[in-house]
Amino acid sequence: MAEPVGVRRAQAQRTRSGVLEAAAAVFVEQGVQAPVRDIAERAGVGVGTVYRNFPTRADLVTAVYRHQIDACAALAPRLLEESASPFTALTLWTDAFVDFLVTKHGLGAALGSGDPGLENLHALMLDTLVPACATLLDACAADGELRPGIAAYTLMRAVGNLCITGPDYDQADAKRMVALLLTGCRNPPSGALHEDVAAE
């Protein structure tokens, strides 16, 4: 007797989710060019199952990171609601963005690979995360906490450049440098500004 359609669909979704979870873990360990057989082995499925769900590597990479990108975007309004100030929300969101960029190092390789199939991943990043960052920057500007003229895309590019880690520059170093960057973007308190002028 054939399984009901709903049961088959649920099983297919579980298989797809298992492949995505396995791919995410393997990408962190080996990068996005990791062998598909390693992903299949971790997911407990055959290589053919991986390709049946994700016909190209670009499809798999995009699907793996779409969820994390969406989660990072959804964090912005929640932090604005929960934080003591818009600048605190921006700081916390940027910290999460750094974690995402550094720990998901395969994403950087994917974005810089030049693979035409991954162009949609770059567009997804821009379309999803730039507006989230802009919301935080707008709130900070309205509150007088940021210097004028800071664009979300420019700030995110700067943060991304500071997150290129290596043997003598790790995640902690990146976080320290990003914190300094945000401090430089902040409007000094009016009293401090007057003190600086008087000192000159």
Side-chain angles (χ1 to χ4, degrees):
M1 183 176 174
E3 289 182 325
V5 173
V7 173
R8 290 200 303 273
R9 193 170 292 151
Q11 178 58 44
Q13 184 56 47
R14 281 194 296 273
T15 299
R16 179 183 170 87
S17 296
V19 170
L20 286 175
E21 288 173 13
V26 172
F27 287 166
V28 168
E29 294 168 1
Q30 303 180 41
V32 294
Q33 297 303 322
V36 172
R37 66 177 176 276
D38 289 359
I39 296 169
E41 190 174 302
R42 182 168 300 214
V45 300
V47 171
T49 298
V50 177
Y51 282 117
R52 189 163 58 249
N53 282 276
F54 306 100
T56 69
R57 184 177 295 273
D59 293 333
L60 180 58
V61 171
T62 301
V64 165
Y65 289 117
R66 178 181 293 276
H67 173 71
Q68 283 125 345
I69 290 169
D70 287 344
C72 193
L75 185 61
R78 192 164 80 243
L79 287 173
L80 270 178
E81 187 177 325
E82 297 172 356
S83 300
S85 73
F87 188 80
T88 299
L90 175 65
T91 301
L92 292 171
W93 186 84
T94 305
D95 199 50
F97 183 52
V98 170
D99 285 339
F100 172 67
L101 290 177
V102 176
T103 59
K104 309 299 181 188
H105 62 267
L107 179 60
L111 292 174
S113 68
D115 183 341
L118 291 172
E119 288 177 1
N120 60 341
L121 182 58
H122 187 258
L124 178 65
M125 281 274 291
L126 294 181
D127 293 346
T128 308
L129 294 185
V130 170
C133 183
T135 300
L136 293 162
L137 291 178
D138 289 346
C140 287
D143 213 41
E145 291 188 294
L146 281 186
R147 298 176 188 272
I150 299 172
Y153 178 72
T154 305
L155 178 64
M156 289 175 64
R157 281 291 302 268
V159 171
N161 288 336
L162 290 172
C163 289
I164 301 171
T165 56
D168 55 353
Y169 182 83
D170 61 15
Q171 184 168 352
D173 294 318
K175 287 195 170 189
R176 280 193 294 270
M177 296 309 297
V178 170
L180 287 172
L181 171 66
L182 290 181
T183 299
C185 292
R186 192 169 194 180
N187 253 337
S190 55
L193 185 60
H194 293 322
E195 288 170 13
D196 289 344
V197 171
E200 289 175 5

